[in-house]
Amino acid sequence: MATQHIIIGGGPVAINAVETIREFDAAAQVTLISDERAHSRMALPYWLSGQVPREHTYTADDASLKQLNVDARIGQRVESIDPDGSTVTLDDGSTLAFDNLLIATGSSPSELQIPGTDLSGVQNLWTLDHTQSLLDTIDGKERPKVVMIGAGFNACIMVNAMYKRGWQLAVIARGQMPSARVIDEGGAALVEPWLREKGVELHCGATVPSITDAGDGTKVVELDNGTTITADAVVMLVGVKANTDLVHGSGIEMDQGILVNDRMQTNFANIYAGGDVAQGPALYSDKPEVHAIHPTAVDHGRIAGANMAGHEVHYPGSLSMNVLDNCGLQTFCFGNWNDAEAETMTISNPGGYIYRKLLWRADQLVGAVLVGPANDMGMLTDVGMVKGILQTQTRLGQWKQFLAENPFDIRRAYIGAGVAQKLIGMTLTGQASRPRGFRFDGKIPTAKVSDAHATFMGTK
Amino acid sequence: MVKMLKIVPQKCTGCMQCELACSWVQTGTFQPSQSLIRVNVFDEEASYAPYTCLQCEEAWCMTVCPVNAIGIDDAIGATVVNDSLCVGCHLCTLACPFGTVFTTPQTHTAIKCNLCGGQPACSTTCPTDAIVYEENDQHGDWFGDWSQKVETNHLAAAENGGGS
Ligand SMILES: Cc1cc2nc3c(=O)[nH]c(=O)nc-3n(C[C@H](O)[C@H](O)[C@H](O)COP(=O)(O)OP(=O)(O)OC[C@H]3O[C@@H](n4cnc5c(N)ncnc54)[C@H](O)[C@@H]3O)c2cc1C
Ligand code: SF4
């Protein structure tokens, strides 16, 4: 009989797992249960900014799931898991049996415990519904004022999205902006003045005791330093928690997330977990970590999918990394950017908004921060090369000293130390990747050549 | 078998013609900083060689893209960006461990080598045949020797008090 796979969730873990299972096993039965439509959360800011329509965030539709031969239960929730009986129970009371289960339930923003969070116009900003709700609140207002409480990764991303809309913004950060979970102190020291220059009002080192309704539809956000801010909408993004409710008391082992091995298996060999809900092998850490980022979700989904389909592959570990566009100032952070014990090399030109920090343990790079104006940063080979050095865990030997003297010449060290060579032929699942099936416009990408190309070739 | 760009470092003179051709056909500028192929002029190591996307099998840029804007053009075996789908999130730039996926300031979307649809301008323009577009199933088989040379020569230069 065909293997029965059940997948809980509709984010990048779930969709990548489905596609990967199909790469290895056409006959397996696959059931996907997700309370939301399949989409990429990280595309939501581009919908909010007005750049793309809501549908652009979707990663599957009925037709594509049918094509993948998936029994999709969109709009339904899994209420409980019975690991010993190998069943899940859904919100309609039905019970489904599985051979393999993947828990890909993601994460949610932490709740702010203050009065006023239940007022209309005061909200989180994490899901499709949240994004719609903010757009509805703001609808018809000329230059709405929005207060963002929080300075974490998602808060920064959403601030940039709202900035692109031309909204008036105030950010309230407990510490630095962006927070230490996103960037080191030196990097934040450039982002803060840049944002202020762009007209974003920053309140760093402040907390919010309460939010009240002004009576005319606007909200009043009160700060502990006595300042009050009046706004059309208030967004709260003050931390992340893994969606592990389903797992409590089930016998599936947890710490900050569901603990998984390098095949994404929990303590039950036929129950897998991945993405924001999972705590798994991580590079530059001696213990499992939750890396609640999109690249880790993709990797986890693909590794879990392959293993569920009976194709044994092992994950070397996730690499913490992020890129932020802070209203035109770009920051890239990798690895352990706040490792207090690491040896550091730093260069900073605050006037030009350029900053670089490399963190070392002996001759091993363990983290990096790169900051610069977005228009310059995008055309550098350095960003990816730093990622390559960290991903391959290449010890740089003599090149460490070279980088101390030439911090902008990453390419020479990268090539000399043989990083690219190690990456050639490397794959995550043991075979060449294929693109996922679903695209917003359905068009298969083909290489585009410019008119300039034709003219140029004509001269040859 | 598909064709690939094979680099012959010994033949490269560091003349930058490929960078100019690439930046022109790909971004409409004559600016090496906008080129998708980069010539490494390593004087101290006595080594010159262009460097661009190897169209790797993993395609880290493609798998990481949240909106599936990157795909494979099967006719030429290149990993290509559909810029009308790209939202400009930079994740592919962040994820490509070769450093060969860029974001162009002109449209704020991702841009990478697409082999010019099967007629790579860099290879056409190179006066010394240091960039050869040929059938090859060994991605980057030339890479190891070149790396080795850069490393060895760098060490020698450093010991002689030159180099860095
Ligand atoms: C606004 C925003 C912007 C972001 N931007 C970036 C970025 O720029 N870069 C980056 O690296 N990361 C970014 N992230 C993080 C990234 O989106 C997540 O790491 C990624 O989505 C995690 O994927 P996942 O599949 O684990 O979970 P999710 O994408 O959260 O998907 C889980 C799904 O499962 C559903 N679900 C949960 N419980 C159940 C249940 N019991 N039954 C049925 N369905 C259930 C959820 O509703 C959800 O739809 C962003 C996140 C947000 C919210
Ligand atoms: S920058 Fe564009 S192509 Fe690259 S990952 Fe983001 S959406 Fe995809």
Side-chain angles (χ1 to χ4, degrees), chain B residues 61 64-67 69-70 81 85-93 103 109-110:
Chain B
C61 57
V64 86
C65 177
V67 295
I70 302 185
V81 181
L85 271 184
C86 170
V87 296
C89 74
H90 295 94
L91 219 57
C92 50
T93 303
T103 307
T109 52

Side-chain angles (χ1 to χ4, degrees), chain A residues 254-278:
Chain A
M254 278 185 28
D255 178 24
Q256 262 120 50
I258 300 171
L259 289 163
V260 292
N261 65 13
D262 66 356
R263 297 175 64 194
M264 301 297 125
Q265 290 165 306
T266 64
N267 55 316
F268 293 87
N270 66 334
I271 300 183
Y272 296 73
D276 286 10
V277 78

Side-chain angles (χ1 to χ4, degrees), chain A residues 40 51 56 302 330 378-379 387 398-399 405 411-412 414-416 428 433 436 438-439 447 450 453, chain B residues 25 38 40 44-45 57-58 60 65-66 68 73 85 87 90 95 97 103 114 119 139 147 151 154 164:
Chain A
S40 276
Q51 207 177 315
H56 203 120
R302 297 179 68 218
Q330 199 143 48
M379 293 307 291
K387 194 256 185 172
Q398 54 159 333
W399 296 103
E405 290 156 22
R411 217 190 298 164
R412 197 176 313 219
Y414 175 94
I415 288 164
L428 194 72
S433 305
R436 298 188 301 276
F438 179 82
R439 284 198 171 80
S450 61
H453 183 267
Chain B
V25 304
R38 298 295 166 88
N40 298 288
E44 289 85 346
E45 289 77 9
E57 289 169 280
E58 175 59 18
W60 309 88
C65 177
N68 206 11
D73 184 325
L85 271 184
V87 296
H90 295 94
T103 307
N114 60 5
Q119 288 186 295
H139 284 250
S147 278
E151 169 94 344
H154 181 78
S164 60

Side-chain angles (χ1 to χ4, degrees), chain A residues 40 42-43 46 51-52 56 59 294-295 298 302 321-323 330 332 334 375 378-381 383-385 387-388 391 398-399 402 405-406 411-412 414-418 420-421 423-428 432-441 443 445-450 452-453 456-457 460, chain B residues 21 24-25 33-34 36 38-42 44-45 51 54 57-58 60 62-68 70-74 76 80 82-85 87-91 93-99 102-105 108 114 116-117 119 121 124-125 139-140 143-144 146-147 150-151 154-155 164:
Chain A
S40 276
M42 64 164 293
Y46 302 92
Q51 207 177 315
V52 301
H56 203 120
T59 50
H294 184 92
V298 171
R302 297 179 68 218
M321 55 181 180
N322 68 59
V323 47
Q330 199 143 48
F332 291 92
F334 292 98
N375 284 350
M379 293 307 291
L380 297 180
T381 53
V383 173
M385 286 186 167
K387 194 256 185 172
Q391 178 181 336
Q398 54 159 333
W399 296 103
F402 172 79
E405 290 156 22
N406 308 277
R411 217 190 298 164
R412 197 176 313 219
Y414 175 94
I415 288 164
Q421 221 172 315
L423 289 159
I424 291 166
M426 187 187 280
T427 58
L428 194 72
S433 305
R434 292 300 308 166
R436 298 188 301 276
F438 179 82
R439 284 198 171 80
F440 169 59
D441 69 354
K443 267 188 245 126
T446 49
K448 250 187 18 192
V449 284
S450 61
H453 183 267
F456 177 81
M457 296 304 277
K460 294 288 152 182
Chain B
W24 171 242
V25 304
S33 71
Q34 304 301 304
L36 312 181
R38 298 295 166 88
V39 181
N40 298 288
V41 180
F42 297 160
E44 289 85 346
E45 289 77 9
Y51 178 89
L54 295 163
E57 289 169 280
E58 175 59 18
W60 309 88
M62 177 178 81
T63 58
V64 86
C65 177
V67 295
N68 206 11
I70 302 185
I72 297 174
D73 184 325
D74 282 317
I76 52 169
V80 300
N82 176 343
D83 56 6
S84 66
L85 271 184
V87 296
C89 74
H90 295 94
L91 219 57
T93 303
L94 182 78
C96 168
F98 295 96
F102 306 97
T103 307
T104 163
H108 301 284
N114 60 5
C116 294
Q119 288 186 295
T124 308
T125 204
H139 284 250
F143 221 101
W146 177 44
S147 278
V150 171
E151 169 94 344
H154 181 78
L155 205 57
S164 60

